[in-house]
């Protein structure tokens, strides 16, 4: 009979202890340890058969052939971009997001679009009829997409070995359990052991595996922190419920950049890929309204133009309010201090509200100049021309600093029909004759204001 032992696990970070502790020594959280039963005996049964395994032997690094990695090109171009140019065989991908944001819908849509590949979609949360209902709403049914409603990992591997799919989707990892661990599904030890077995399956069979994961109320992925270290890629699906746009970001990626961004529009028939986000993030309002400026920004390798909106009003109460949506509040306070100290604008007694249109979050410092321009436009109630965009960083002394890859930003503004773009005069290698759009270089905020409001 297998020997049974118990251990205590922190439900926040997954730290293991032989006895109960009031405070976790790893994450310093209180009252998070829960006792779980672990069974690891000598009569363990292998999870999947030996026929699917590959035997590894030590080899000198110079003897290993340099073979280009053949990625699986998916139909979903936004997913391809975020993954770094395609799906790597044998990769393990953790896909997280808030409840109801559209994780299962996106993964089912991706599975149904891959008509040239055999996909196994495993659901531990919904029945076959529920998934079929959603699939019928999304689009045409794919004959190469197979559904399996199962939560036992051993059974999943058995079906995967018989079907031999090109891609495996697990929805969700918190519902999967293995007989090796005697704790309940969703516990720290079950998530860790199930993920370890799926990782071994992915590497030994060259089958890419998607794990849909829940998140906690703090916004982090549920389960032990080691879960994010075990997988190859961590994708975050986010968005404002009041907006129809959803953003796909890469938090960790062993096979590509983590700066890429995928944008989807939530429709009744599923999620639509947004190939040109600039057109949806800029308002079509032709009226000249104060407090609005257009910024040329970059998300990974993708240039796009966004609308920055500001509202400045006299503080109704003693303490002025500072509010920012989609922009770092601390950076907003810094820019307000620069405008007051270096440029002489009295904003200390006024409320300032800032919003990035479209419900997206931007951390690119190149939108600093557009933030400053929109705030001063609202303060003076003077509108900025719709055919002007800005792309530059603002320093603490009020200088206009250059940003990287400004030529891509200029090309994007020119493609969308803008007549002028204001950048830093210190940007090197930018020649006016290479562009039809008028390029204006400035070194101080005062020069920018003369170009905008003169």
């Amino acid at each position: 009979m297998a020997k049974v032992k118990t251990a205590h696990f922190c439900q926040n970070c997954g730290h293991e202890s032989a006895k109960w502790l009031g405070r976790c020594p790893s994450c310093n959280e209180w009252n998070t340890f829960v006792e779980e039963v672990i069974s690891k005996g000598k009569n363990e049964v292998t999870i999947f058969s030996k026929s699917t395994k590959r035997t590894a032997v030590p080899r000198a690094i110079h003897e290993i052939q340099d073979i280009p990695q053949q990625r699986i090109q998916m139909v979903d171009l936004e997913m391809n971009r975020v993954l770094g140019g395609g799906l790597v065989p044998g990769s393990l991908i953790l896909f997280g997001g808030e409840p109801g944001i559209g994780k299962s819908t996106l993964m089912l849509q991706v599975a149904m679009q891959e008509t040239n590949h055999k996909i196994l979609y495993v659901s531990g949360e919904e029945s076959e009829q529920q998934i079929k209902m959603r699939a019928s709403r999304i689009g045409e049914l794919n004959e190469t997409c197979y559904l399996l409603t199962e939560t036992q990992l051993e059974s999943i591997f058995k079906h995967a070995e018989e079907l031999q799919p090109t891609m495996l989707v697990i929805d969700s990892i918190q519902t999967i359990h293995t007989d090796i661990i005697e704790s309940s599904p969703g516990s720290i030890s079950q998530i860790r052991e199930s993920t370890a077995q799926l990782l071994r399956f992915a590497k030994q069979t060259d089958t890419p595996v998607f794990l849909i994961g829940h998140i906690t109320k703090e916004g982090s992925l549920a389960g032990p922190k080691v879960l994010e270290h075990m997988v190859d890629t961590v994708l975050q699906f986010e968005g404002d419920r009041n907006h129809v746009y959803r953003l796909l970001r890469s938090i960790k990626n062993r096979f590509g950049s983590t700066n890429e961004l995928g944008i989807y529009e939530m429709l009744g028939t599923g999620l639509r890929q947004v190939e040109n986000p600039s057109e949806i993030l800029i308002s079509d309002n032709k009226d000249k309204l104060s407090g609005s400026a257009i910024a040329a920004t970059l998300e990974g390798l993708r240039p796009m133009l966004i609308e920055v909106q500001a509202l400045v009003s006299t503080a109704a109460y003693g303490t002025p309010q500072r509010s920012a949506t989609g922009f770092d509040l601390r950076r907003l306070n810094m820019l307000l201090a620069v405008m007051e100290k270096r440029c002489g604008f009295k904003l200390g007694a006024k409320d300032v509200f800032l919003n990035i249109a479209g419900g997206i979050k931007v951390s690119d410092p190149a939108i600093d100049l557009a933030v400053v321009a929109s705030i001063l436009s609202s303060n003076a109630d003077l509108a900025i021309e719709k055919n002007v965009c800005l792309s530059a960083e603002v320093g603490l002394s009020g200088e206009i600093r250059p940003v990287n890859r400004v030529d891509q930003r200029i090309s994007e503004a020119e493609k969308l029909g803008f007549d002028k773009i204001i950048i830093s005069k210190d940007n090197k290698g930018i020649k006016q004759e290479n562009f039809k759009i008028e390029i204006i270089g400035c070194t101080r905020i005062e020069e920018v204001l003369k170009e905008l409001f003169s």
Side-chain angles (χ1 to χ4, degrees), residues 226-428:
V226 71
L227 180 63
E228 297 181 39
H229 294 286
M230 294 170 66
V231 299
D232 298 310
T233 305
V234 180
L235 301 181
Q236 186 79 17
F237 203 42
E238 58 190 34
D240 192 338
R241 291 190 176 218
N242 298 321
H243 292 82
V244 296
Y245 301 111
R246 300 289 185 265
L247 307 180
L248 181 63
R249 297 182 185 272
S250 175
I251 301 175
K252 169 191 175 182
N253 192 353
R254 288 175 179 162
F255 311 113
S257 172
T258 57
N259 296 322
E260 294 298 337
L261 176 71
I263 302 180
Y264 296 87
E265 183 181 5
M266 178 67 80
L267 302 174
T269 55
L271 290 153
R272 182 183 71 86
Q273 303 175 48
V274 178
E275 297 179 359
N276 188 3
S278 300
E279 295 180 354
I280 64 170
L281 297 176
I282 298 177
S283 173
D284 292 332
N285 192 351
K286 302 299 182 181
D287 297 333
K288 292 185 177 181
L289 302 175
S290 63
S292 176
I294 306 299
T297 183
L298 279 175
E299 283 290 343
L301 299 176
R302 166 186 281 187
M304 61 183 184
L305 271 65
I306 60 174
E307 183 177 354
V308 181
Q309 300 172 337
L311 176 63
V312 180
S313 63
T314 304
Y317 305 99
T319 304
Q321 298 183 63
R322 302 284 189 261
S323 176
T325 303
F327 188 74
D328 187 7
L329 182 59
R330 292 174 295 181
R331 193 163 187 86
L332 172 62
N333 290 328
M334 183 202 76
L335 294 175
L336 292 173
V338 170
M339 285 185 277
E340 184 148 353
K341 176 73 174 179
R342 304 297 184 185
C343 305
F345 294 98
K346 304 300 180 183
L347 301 171
K350 295 188 176 181
D351 294 335
V352 179
F353 304 94
L354 188 74
N355 176 53
I356 306 297
I360 70 169
K361 297 179 182 178
V362 183
S363 58
D364 186 5
I367 72 169
D368 284 356
L369 191 57
V371 170
V372 170
S374 63
I375 291 173
L376 297 180
S377 170
S378 178
N379 184 50
D381 201 19
L382 295 173
I384 299 174
E385 293 292 336
K386 286 288 186 180
N387 61 345
V388 180
C389 67
L390 307 98
S391 183
E393 182 182 354
V394 177
L396 291 178
S397 60
E399 80 277 15
I400 307 301
R401 300 176 62 84
V403 293
N404 61 344
R405 308 218 311 262
V406 70
D407 52 338
Q408 296 184 29
R409 306 171 194 263
I410 296 173
S411 299
E412 181 70 11
E414 183 179 271
K415 184 174 68 174
L416 293 178
F418 283 82
D419 298 329
K420 298 179 183 178
I421 182 170
I422 299 177
I423 64 173
S424 172
K425 206 169 187 177
D426 297 328
N427 273 111
K428 306 299 181 182

Side-chain angles (χ1 to χ4, degrees), residues 93-99 101-103 211-215 219-222 233-238 247-249 251:
I93 302 163
L94 181 60
F95 185 53
E98 293 183 359
I101 202 70
K103 303 184 299 296
L211 305 178
I212 299 179
H214 301 163
I215 66 169
S220 59
L221 288 161
T233 305
V234 180
L235 301 181
Q236 186 79 17
F237 203 42
E238 58 190 34
L247 307 180
L248 181 63
R249 297 182 185 272
I251 301 175

Side-chain angles (χ1 to χ4, degrees), residues 74-79 95 102-115 119 121 131 134-142 145 147 167 169 212 237 263-274:
M74 307 172 70
V75 177
D76 193 322
L77 300 180
E78 298 295 304
M79 182 74 74
F95 185 53
K103 303 184 299 296
S104 299
T105 301
L106 178 59
M107 289 312 306
L108 181 60
Q109 181 174 300
V110 168
M112 292 177 57
Q113 289 174 345
E114 298 299 321
T115 55
I119 312 296
Y121 188 97
I131 301 174
R134 188 194 300 138
S136 302
R137 174 173 55 86
I138 291 175
E140 295 184 5
L141 300 180
N142 181 7
C145 179
L147 300 180
M167 185 176 76
V169 180
I212 299 179
F237 203 42
I263 302 180
Y264 296 87
E265 183 181 5
M266 178 67 80
L267 302 174
T269 55
L271 290 153
R272 182 183 71 86
Q273 303 175 48
V274 178

